[in-house]
Structure formats: C-alpha cells, structure tokens
Amino acid sequence: MSRTRTALLAALALVAGTAGAAVAAAPPDVGAAAVPCTVEYKVQNQWDTGFTTAVTVTNNSAAKSSWAVKWSYAGNQKVTSGWNAKLSQSGTAVTAANESYNGPLGAGSSVSFGFNGTYSGTNALPTAFTLDGVTCNVDDGGTDPTDPTDPTDPGTGSRVDNPYAGAKVYVNPEWKAKAAAETGGSRIANQPTGVWLDRIAAIDGVNGGMGLRDHLDAALTQKGSDELVVQLVIYNLPGRDCAALASNGELGPTEIDKYKTDYIDPIAAILADTKYAGLRIVTTVEIDSLPNLVTNVTPRATATANCDTMKANGNYVKGVGYALNKLGDAPNVYNYVDAGHHGWLGWDDNFAPSAALFKEAASAEGATVADVHGFIVNTANYSATKEAYFTVNDSVNGASVRTSKWIDWNRYVDEQSYAQAMRAQLVSIGFPSGIGMLIDTSRNGWGGTARPTAAGPTTSVDTYVDGGRYDRRIHLGNWCNQSGAGLGERPQAAPATGIDAYVWMKPPGESDGSSTAIDNDEGKGFDRMCDPTYTGNPRNNNNMSGALANAPLSGHWFSAQFQELMKNAYPAL
C-alpha cells in the first residue's frame, strides 16, 4: 500500500509536539480521593488455555518516581509475557514494576500495561491489588446489565463509547489455520485480525473461502454470551490506491455506481440483518484512499496521474461518504476511517489538509460526522507505536531532532502521538468529541537483535535518532514487506488516552505485494517498491525499498514474512 508524504523542506518554527507517553495524566477523581489507588483489571481475550489482560492503575496519592503493582491468583494462572511493565511471578504472586520509560506516576495519573497468561480450569479474577504496598480499590471492568447508564450495557445492539471495551474480538478461522500451520505459529494463531473485503467476490467468498455471512455466523459462535467485536476492512474504491500498483483494485476510476450497488449495498444489507444485531461490527473504511488526495496530487512532486484523476472526479470522497452513510445505518456498526500514519501525514503541509478532507468525505453522499465513530492509523504499515528514546522536542548540540534525516521536520515521531494529535484536530473541526482512534500494531514491533536499548550517540541529531529509533526501516516511505519488521503490541482495548484499541487489522503473513511481476486476475499490478533491488523514488527520497524477496501477490500468504515477524516480535513471543 502507498505510504507516502511530501517533505517540508523549508525551515519551520519549532513548537511543542506531542511525544508518546506511557503515563496518561488526568485530573484526580474526586469521588475516589479517599482511595489511594485504583486498579482496573480486564481480561480482553480468553481461549481454552490462555488469556490476554489489560491493567490500568491510577495513583490518587502523592506523585511517584517509580511504582510496583502486586496481586495474587486463586488458581493456576501463569503470566507468560507482558508489555509496558516488568512482570515477575512467584507461585501465585505476581509483581508488575515500571519500565525505565514509564516510572513517573503523578497524583491523579494512570499507567497501563498488559500481559498474556495461561490457565486451566477457571480463570478467576484477582480480588486484591497493592500499589507500592498500599491496598487499592478494584474495578474488574465488568458491566451491570440492570444499569441503563452503563456505557457497555451488553446485548442491546446499540452503540457504546468504545466497542472494544469489555469485549472479545473475532478470530478469523481462515487466518488462524494458516498461522497455526506455520512452525511456531500456534503462539499467535488465536489473535484477532481483520477480515478484508477487498473485492466484490469477497462478500460471498473467494474460491470457496468464507464470505461475509460465514464470518458473522462464526462470530456468533465465538461470541457465546459475551460481547464480541468483528473487524471488517472495506477496501474496494474505484481507482483504488492511486499512488501504488501492488494493491490496485478491480474497479476502474469511474465505476462509482458499481461500487455503490454491487459492493457497499450488499455489505450494508448483511450487516443490517437482525441476526447479527448482538455483534459489535467495526468497519475500517477505505485504507489509503483520502490521504493520497493530499500528498500525491499536482502540484506535489509525488503526484501521479491516477491520483489527479481521482481528485478531479471526486469518486474517493463520494465512495467514502456513501460507505459511511449506508454502513452507519446499523446501530451496532462502528465506522473508523483511515487516517494514514505519522510518516505520511505528520508534516504541517499534510496534517490539517488531511483532517479537512476527512470531514469533506464524512459530509458527502448523505453521510454526516455522526456516522464516524473514529479513525484508524498505521493500517498495514510499520511505524512504531511509541518511540522511547527520543521525542520531537529533543535537541542535540543545539540542533532540533526535527532537522534529522529520519524525522525530516515531521511534528511526530510515532503513531500514538500522531493519533492523539489527529484526534484533537478532527474534534476541533467538528467531529464528535467522543471519537476514538485505532492503531494497527500487527507489524510494527521491531524487536529482535536490532532493537535499540538506549538512546543513540549525541554526536549529531542523525546519530542520536538513528541509534535510538525502534523503527529500523531505511526510510519512512518504505511500505512493502519490510525486512526486519516484527509483530507489535498484542490487540488490546483502551491502551492510552483517546485510543480505543491496538488492533491487528492487517493479518500478519499476508503479503503487501509481489517482488516481481505476476500475472493475475485480481487487478493487482507490480510495484517496484516491493522489489528488494529497487533504488527508490521521490516518495522515499530515492532510498532502497527494504522489501523482502520472493513475495507473492498482495493479500496472499507469505510464509517467510510470517516467520520474520514472529522472530522480531516485540513484545517477544
């Protein structure tokens, strides 16, 4: 997929940016003032022998420079891996201590961490927690079905503030089977991933595979008596992905009517079926479309004829608006619009114009901003969620890090700070204040031996940034099957302020595009950015592509990439 931007080469006035932070500051809760701390412990995903949990700790007492949370299990639960905390276990007793980057915990501030664990029999919730030896009040994240004010009241089919809160997420059986068939793949085969509806035939199922109704029926089985989110990728605009070739679609630039009647309308009809009213259906609407109309059109140096055509005919804006309008009619559907990523839209000449274009699309073809529940960033991309060893406000020997070759005057250095800033911008121009953001963390872990463990040398801004950055790509504009990439943060709800969830919308192991030209009937072309021998173009400042060799067509299974992602996973598997 096209992940590009136009460099802002002129000198810019420096202003404060928003660096990613593990601790989300919030005003103290007056009602909880008598309680020194509170702990919210939520089991986000559970299967036969394992579970994923998110924990949020709020400090209502004096500020701390470090912290440690402790609890004990009543059963045989074992913590196997975690993130955003150093986790240890002795018998049934567990300790979660701060990492080097999230030790400070102010009065009224919260910190979140998560972990995976195993169990057999029952997985009873812990009943008591301490913060630095002081007993905390506990919120187990449950819901009260008798309370009409409960924002996560189950089973009503009406929208909730965050669809991921208190819910399991659908595990695609087709992806699960492919992952489990790989050596070591069973470690992640139960993770939830997006279902990509990338052509009309996908609605009924391609080559005997599962169609939309098949997935929704399977989701009902997985749901049981719990809440469950199903993640769908709506991805079939006319003239799709105008700045790339690997992910071109089946519809020509002018086929907007076919997009509406043969693609969106059938999907909307299925989602409106009352059989599925108890599911929380998240749609991520038209990846890569609208940002291309900002960065890859005339007079930009990165302009393409195809993107100029799509801007002139308005079919991206019309298509997105139509999809939001029709899909948003069902009360259990949550529309999230693609908002690129920080290495695409984080520059001043891209940021605000992109937000304005998102609003234009959300007001087209009968849609309103109320049809948008939120936005998604980093879909199928590799940008790090949070950089720990530098911020956009740092300087080296008097020079701002924004002058480094890697940051190149961007105002954001990672996805979380970008997502939070984009959310604020969108609210400021008229989107509802309750919109949330999703971050695709499926392939942005950048673990393994190349992962930095400290800031880079302060010889120059370039050595400082390059030595400390998690994202090990050659250039931020590289987007195809990146060498050295790893699985990122596991899917989890509400990991940070304004972020509804970390998600794996791009199923790990599915190719971004073929390394060489391959004849096909899917409308997919050959993009040199997927060729490991390619020396680049203006969109990546003429750098090598960084792509893996021997890749198949986009969307097809790429075993070598899957193994690379597991090897470089962070948190490690």
Side-chain angles (χ1 to χ4, degrees):
M1 295 181 185
S2 172
R3 302 297 191 191
T4 61
R5 65 100 190 169
T6 298
L8 181 60
L9 299 178
L12 302 175
L14 298 179
V15 299
T18 50
V23 180
D29 182 348
V30 176
V35 180
C37 48
T38 60
V39 174
E40 183 183 65
Y41 180 104
K42 286 188 177 182
V43 176
Q44 297 178 308
N45 193 18
Q46 182 169 307
W47 53 99
D48 292 343
T49 60
F51 62 101
T52 300
T53 294
V55 181
T56 298
V57 183
T58 301
N59 174 33
N60 295 318
S61 58
K64 300 174 180 291
S65 60
S66 62
W67 51 267
V69 179
K70 296 183 179 182
W71 69 91
S72 294
Y73 286 115
N76 60 2
Q77 296 96 326
K78 298 290 184 184
V79 174
T80 57
S81 63
W83 46 94
N84 293 337
K86 297 174 182 176
L87 288 127
S88 58
Q89 184 168 358
S90 177
T92 60
V94 179
T95 298
N98 63 274
E99 294 280 9
S100 60
Y101 53 82
N102 63 357
L105 187 57
S109 295
S110 299
V111 63
S112 297
F113 60 91
F115 60 91
N116 294 319
T118 62
Y119 76 101
S120 61
T122 59
N123 183 22
L125 299 177
T127 58
F129 293 81
T130 63
L131 174 62
D132 296 335
V134 177
T135 300
C136 299
N137 191 35
V138 179
D139 176 6
D140 65 7
T143 60
D144 180 3
T146 65
D147 180 4
T149 66
D150 191 331
T152 56
D153 185 23
T156 64
S158 59
R159 291 193 184 97
V160 296
D161 178 61
N162 180 357
Y164 290 86
K168 301 185 296 184
V169 186
Y170 175 62
V171 177
N172 182 344
E174 293 183 313
W175 179 83
K176 177 180 179 178
K178 292 175 183 176
E182 292 279 346
T183 301
S186 60
R187 294 174 293 175
I188 63 166
N190 280 303
Q191 291 292 348
T193 55
V195 174
W196 286 61
L197 302 175
D198 61 353
R199 67 194 95 165
I200 293 168
I203 299 170
D204 293 324
V206 177
N207 298 325
M210 296 175 70
L212 177 54
R213 282 192 179 276
D214 297 321
H215 284 294
L216 295 177
D217 289 341
L220 289 175
T221 300
Q222 290 185 23
K223 177 182 184 299
S225 59
D226 300 316
E227 294 295 334
L228 185 134
V229 172
V230 180
Q231 303 175 125
L232 306 177
V233 179
I234 307 301
Y235 185 53
N236 198 32
L237 274 178
R240 188 178 75 193
D241 214 353
C242 59
L245 297 172
S247 46
N248 288 163
E250 64 184 350
L251 300 178
T254 63
E255 293 188 278
I256 185 67
D257 291 337
K258 187 173 184 180
Y259 173 81
K260 294 177 179 179
T261 60
D262 293 8
Y263 180 68
I264 293 298
D265 287 353
I267 293 173
I270 293 171
L271 300 188
D273 190 331
T274 55
K275 177 182 182 181
Y276 306 121
L279 297 171
R280 297 179 182 179
I281 300 172
V282 165
T283 65
T284 54
V285 178
E286 295 299 353
I287 310 307
D288 278 341
S289 59
L290 299 176
N292 273 316
L293 300 187
V294 173
T295 64
N296 297 321
V297 294
T298 302
R300 299 293 183 96
T302 52
T304 71
N306 290 338
C307 290
D308 281 342
T309 295
M310 299 317 300
K311 183 172 183 178
N313 67 25
N315 284 343
Y316 276 7
V317 169
K318 295 173 187 175
V320 170
Y322 189 84
L324 293 173
N325 181 23
K326 293 298 182 180
L327 301 176
D329 287 344
N332 60 319
V333 171
Y334 302 80
N335 290 321
Y336 289 79
V337 179
D338 180 63
H341 62 91
H342 90 276
W344 189 358
L345 303 182
W347 285 266
D348 288 358
D349 53 349
N350 298 341
F351 188 81
S354 294
L357 184 61
F358 300 156
K359 186 176 181 183
E360 179 185 347
S363 307
E365 298 290 314
T368 71
V369 293
D371 289 312
V372 178
H373 200 79
F375 290 77
I376 182 169
V377 301
N378 205 45
T379 309
N381 203 255
Y382 300 88
S383 296
T385 302
K386 291 183 290 185
E387 292 285 6
Y389 299 122
F390 61 93
T391 76
V392 75
N393 298 315
D394 293 348
S395 62
V396 177
N397 301 324
S400 167
V401 299
R402 293 185 63 211
T403 64
S404 67
K405 292 178 181 178
W406 176 256
I407 299 175
D408 194 18
W409 294 104
N410 202 318
R411 294 218 181 261
Y412 308 97
V413 300
D414 53 35
E415 287 307 292
Q416 190 151 294
S417 61
Y418 166 73
Q420 290 168 329
M422 178 59 79
R423 179 185 180 279
Q425 176 70 18
L426 292 162
V427 170
S428 75
I429 64 172
F431 280 92
S433 60
I435 60 170
M437 308 296 287
L438 305 178
I439 302 176
D440 188 347
T441 61
S442 58
R443 304 184 301 177
N444 72 346
W446 296 104
T449 58
R451 185 178 179 86
T453 57
T458 56
T459 310
S460 69
V461 288
D462 288 322
T463 59
Y464 177 70
V465 172
D466 289 341
R469 59 182 167 92
Y470 292 144
D471 189 336
R472 305 312 298 172
R473 282 178 293 178
I474 299 170
H475 188 271
L476 272 170
N478 290 353
W479 53 268
C480 193
N481 300 325
Q482 290 298 285
S483 176
L487 302 168
E489 294 279 4
R490 312 305 182 253
Q492 53 183 293
T497 302
I499 310 299
D500 281 352
Y502 294 155
V503 297
W504 282 10
M505 203 60 67
K506 172 71 173 181
E510 291 189 1
S511 174
D512 295 320
S514 60
S515 301
T516 58
I518 299 176
D519 290 336
N520 65 91
D521 59 0
E522 300 175 28
K524 295 171 181 175
F526 168 52
D527 196 304
R528 289 296 305 279
M529 286 299 291
C530 300
D531 176 358
T533 69
Y534 186 47
T535 56
N537 56 44
R539 297 187 190 93
N540 78 334
N541 281 357
N542 298 106
N543 284 282
M544 297 295 292
S545 69
L548 292 169
N550 304 312
L553 291 172
S554 63
H556 290 224
W557 191 255
F558 189 7
S559 177
Q561 184 201 52
F562 186 80
Q563 291 295 331
E564 178 119 334
L565 292 171
M566 289 196 297
K567 180 182 71 173
N568 297 319
Y570 192 88
L573 299 180

